[in-house]
Amino acid sequence: MILTPASQKALSQGLLDVLIRAGLVAVLVIACYQVFHPFLNLMLWSVILAVTLYPLHRRLKPRLGNRDGRTATVLVLICIIVLLVPLYLLGMSLGSSVAHGMEVVRSGSFHIPPPPDSVAGWPLVGERLHGVWQQAATDLTSLAQKFTPQIKAFSLTLLGKATGLGLGLLMFIAALAIAGIVMAYADAGQRSAVKIASRFFGLPKGPKITELCTGTIRAVAQGVVGIAFIQMLLIGVAFVLMDIPGAAVLSMAVLLLGIMQIPATLITVPVIIFVIATRGADVGTIVFSVYVFLAGLADNVLKPLLLGRGVEVPMPVVLIGALGGMVTSGIIGLFIGPVLLAVGYMLFWQWIEDHPAGSLPVEIPNGPEQA
């Protein structure tokens, strides 16, 4: 086909118009992203919390007069109370522990026992550890002055972490409030999500992908955060009943380790050793040790039951997405990673199955005799 000069000019003009429009759209998208970026994590957390809590919203709705706004408000208030009460108890425990420690130091009754002679025989660090321990037992003040820069740096780092934790808590409470608004308009939000997904992936796939994203978020909330919370309750109650020092802090550490998919035995085994070493091996300590050790392994039983439930992709895909997302993007990646991997997995297999007619053989040989 030979184009006339007029046709070539028209084609060039049309291509230039398309490039200009694409450039303007790209500039608009970048500008919108820069404006929305400070609120991105907040809105992602709001959507994740709304999707996770919406089944409870539907159960409470008939009992509260079928009012979406009232139900969402009550549910958000319950979540805030459930969140703040343990944090308040944890803060009170830490505060009392710090106050008691300062009182012991001021009274002069604090004393570090001298190290056993066997410590010096430990490989690599034995002699140095024995010397530092001996100095702490004889002259703690000079040892503290010697390590003042390290203590100051550690204190500043700890203060920064505490500040970040406080800001994260405030953002989480704000996300809960926004999640309540999202749940109050859940029907309209679901229709919008289906329209957006259908526009990107086509009408047959849009609703399925929307359901997949919803199910994956809830499966991760139940299979990761839910199991970690159950483990924290099982182990924390035993720590409190056994009067373990710092039981609240250790229970919170169990929760964080469970969310990060790290075995809780890193906490339970040292506590078991501490209890047996300080209180001896009697019936109470043995029962406590067996119970706490089994509670630390409970995630191995609960995870296969809860993690992949209600999702059309295999459980290992969700688990790998959770772990990879958390490594790359932190806690919020724990939810975003499985969603992305599940959608990619579904689209990949749909692409494999939707091959053009005649591109694959009708029957694939099963053995040499059929080749």
Side-chain angles (χ1 to χ4, degrees), residues 162-332:
T163 303
L165 182 62
L167 293 176
L169 177 62
L170 292 177
M171 189 189 78
F172 193 79
I173 293 176
L176 271 175
I178 299 175
I181 299 175
V182 174
M183 286 187 291
Y185 297 93
D187 294 334
Q190 183 181 10
R191 289 193 296 268
S192 299
V194 170
K195 289 181 181 179
I196 294 172
S198 300
R199 179 60 176 162
F200 277 102
F201 304 104
L203 185 58
K205 300 177 184 177
K208 292 183 179 179
I209 290 178
T210 305
E211 294 177 2
L212 178 64
C213 295
T214 302
T216 304
I217 291 174
R218 290 174 183 166
V220 172
Q222 295 173 359
V224 177
V225 181
I227 291 176
F229 188 76
I230 292 173
Q231 269 193 311
M232 182 196 70
L233 291 179
L234 294 175
I235 297 174
V237 169
F239 285 176
V240 172
L241 294 178
M242 203 64 179
D243 196 19
I244 302 297
V249 178
L250 293 174
S251 301
M252 190 63 65
V254 170
L255 176 63
L256 295 177
L257 290 179
I259 293 175
M260 293 187 291
Q261 300 297 292
I262 298 175
T265 50
L266 294 178
I267 301 294
T268 57
V269 170
V271 171
I272 291 172
I273 295 174
F274 169 78
V275 169
I276 294 178
T278 55
R279 306 185 186 183
D282 54 16
V283 176
T285 56
I286 292 175
V287 171
F288 168 82
S289 301
V290 173
Y291 169 79
V292 169
F293 183 76
L294 293 178
L297 300 176
D299 59 329
N300 297 316
V301 178
L302 297 175
K303 195 176 296 178
L305 298 177
L306 299 178
L307 188 56
R309 189 176 65 177
V311 183
E312 296 181 358
V313 298
M315 188 269 287
V317 174
V318 180
L319 181 59
I320 292 173
L323 295 176
M326 186 168 184
V327 171
T328 56
S329 303
I331 297 297
I332 197 169

Side-chain angles (χ1 to χ4, degrees), residues 38-53:
F39 307 96
L40 181 60
N41 286 340
L42 179 64
M43 296 307 299
L44 287 175
W45 271 118
S46 302
V47 173
I48 290 170
L49 290 172
V51 171
T52 304
L53 296 174

